[in-house]
Amino acid sequence: MFVQDLAPLGGLGLSALVAVVPLAVVLVLLGVVRTKAHHAALIGLIVALIVGIAVYGMPVGQAISGALQGAAFGLFPILWIVVNALWIYRITVHTGHFDVLRRSFGRISDDPRLQALIIAFCFGALMEALAGFGAPVAISAVMLVAVGFGPGKAAVVALVANTAPVAFGAMGTPVVTLAQVTGLPLEQVSSIVGRQTPLLALFVPLLLVIIVDGKRGLRETWVPALVCGVAFGVVQFLASNFVSPQLADIGAALAGAAALVALPITRRAVPAEVRAQVLTGSRTATLDRPDERGEVVRAYLPYALIIVIFSLAQVPPIKKLLDAATWKFHWPGLDVHGPDGKAVSGNTFSLPFLNTGGTLVLIAGLLTLVAFKVAAGTAGREWLATVKELRFAIVTVTGVLALAYVMNLSGQTSTIGTFIAAAGAGLAFLSPVLGWFGVAVSGSDTSANALFGALQVTAAHQTGLRADLLAAANSSGGVLGKMISPQNLTIACVAANLPGEEGKLLRKVLPWSIGLLLVMCLIVFGQSTPVLSWMLP
């Protein structure tokens, strides 16, 4: 049996200084040395093992076993969701249905300011819901360039738009991970995040029309931008609180798009001089090719199938049946107890074979294959190609989660959390900053939640603040670091054909990132006081 010691070096301050070394190594390697993310994750894992074994006295076997458990959780269910979601996207590209979808969006409105909302905010959110991990920025930037946006503006719009949906991206992966590493119920975490990030949705569409067309864009299109943001935020709140975190972004993205389409102003002709001033790039000729109604319907089919399947999975009898196929067991080689002598929840592990996002997405993908008449061999090759495309992301995610589990199980995270609890009530204001910093460096809200989620909970217990509030704040603040992360900046530059202009892009999006982060800090601080505590469940 291993009992955690929060001050193995005698003093809490010195112990916390040593405990933070694995995180510091990862952050320095990524942010200063510019090491590849998967290398940084693996090096950080080695450092965490050394600190856990040499300083905290965790038995070697248990430390390695804990790392393997973290890696296993990274593979299933986390990467199981991502691989299958991106596989469906690759199938739509292979069959040409993604081009049909892109042309469909281009015909909704000829106003470039509204096209930015439809493509970057709404469709980008849908891609975030299904895949995440940089895919929304890449795809949105390519589509914006195709309809005539200049490369620089397309990249900025795609980056800023990729904020509000991030916490529920990849079929809820960040909040699922947050619940797992903190031991908090998923419904509880999802509910509070769903009372924070929807407020961002009110601002982001307005910022996008400003980025696209300045004050004139805001003056002329603030109504559709606000309507889109309200529709997105309301549905994200309702889905995350009362339906399913996996469906929050899908429903929100569709609601935002539907609200835009329903407004008469969306179909109003925009003056030619506005288009000429806003669209400084070259429009792709294939956008003007007509598509049959049946092809358009089939292009939307994969997303409709995902919505239906996930909705059915929430029906109580079906949910109970799916939950029955869950294997919960004591993880081999682990016998960890907290400082109070009680066994920690990390000793057990659950494998939900059916009621997990990746399996449900896979079912939707198999039905898509039938509808698109894709041969099994082609589908298999595309799935393997997806794994190959994500190979470095797979190493990164498994490495980061292995590191997080070692730090949590050895007691390193609890030491850091107990130490920073000295911030007292001010911790509520600062907690989103920790998530923001984590995502800015790692490029992933999932990774930031794995690294800092348990730390936020420990600090909350020490200060008397709500643990679920600070845990949620880590994810909600993290979404605002996405646009300035080196990985996302590079993805945007590659997609928009802006080689070597990451620094220029960073200077353009950094003010928006910091401004929105300040808004989130004020929201969370308000929710920790009687001023906004009524917002919490």
Side-chain angles (χ1 to χ4, degrees), residues 326-330 345 348-351:
T326 298
W327 182 25
K328 189 172 184 178
F329 59 95
H330 186 280
S345 60
T348 60
F349 192 74
S350 294
L351 283 174

Side-chain angles (χ1 to χ4, degrees), residues 413-466:
T413 300
S414 295
T415 298
I416 301 169
T418 303
F419 180 74
I420 67 171
L427 185 62
F429 182 85
L430 296 174
S431 57
V433 179
L434 191 59
W436 174 83
F437 183 69
V439 176
V441 174
S442 70
S444 166
D445 200 35
T446 299
S447 296
N449 287 343
L451 290 173
F452 299 133
L455 187 153
Q456 297 267 20
V457 169
T458 300
H461 288 319
Q462 296 296 323
T463 57
L465 294 168
R466 287 187 56 165

Side-chain angles (χ1 to χ4, degrees), residues 312-332:
L312 289 174
Q314 302 308 311
V315 176
I318 298 177
K319 180 177 175 60
K320 184 177 180 180
L321 183 64
L322 295 175
D323 284 340
T326 298
W327 182 25
K328 189 172 184 178
F329 59 95
H330 186 280
W331 187 264

Side-chain angles (χ1 to χ4, degrees), residues 47-70:
V47 175
L49 285 169
I50 293 172
V51 172
I53 295 167
V55 178
Y56 279 77
M58 191 175 191
V60 175
Q62 294 209 48
I64 294 174
S65 181
L68 291 175
Q69 186 188 30

Side-chain angles (χ1 to χ4, degrees), residues 490-504:
T490 300
I491 289 169
C493 284
V494 171
N497 194 24
L498 294 169
E501 295 195 20
E502 287 88 350
K504 185 177 180 180

Side-chain angles (χ1 to χ4, degrees), residues 206-268:
L206 296 170
L207 295 182
L208 293 178
V209 297
I210 292 174
I211 292 170
V212 171
D213 195 27
K215 294 180 180 178
R216 180 180 61 185
L218 181 63
R219 184 176 64 252
E220 296 181 359
T221 59
W222 71 270
V223 172
L226 187 60
V227 168
C228 176
V230 169
F232 184 101
V234 168
V235 172
Q236 190 183 59
F237 159 71
L238 293 174
S240 60
N241 277 267
F242 307 111
V243 183
S244 165
Q246 288 89 347
L247 287 176
D249 279 348
I250 295 177
L254 295 177
L260 277 176
V261 172
L263 289 175
I265 191 175
T266 304
R267 296 180 293 278
R268 191 177 302 167

Side-chain angles (χ1 to χ4, degrees), residues 113 118 226 233 289 319 485:
R113 298 161 298 190
I118 294 167
L226 187 60
R289 195 175 73 192
K319 180 177 175 60
S485 69

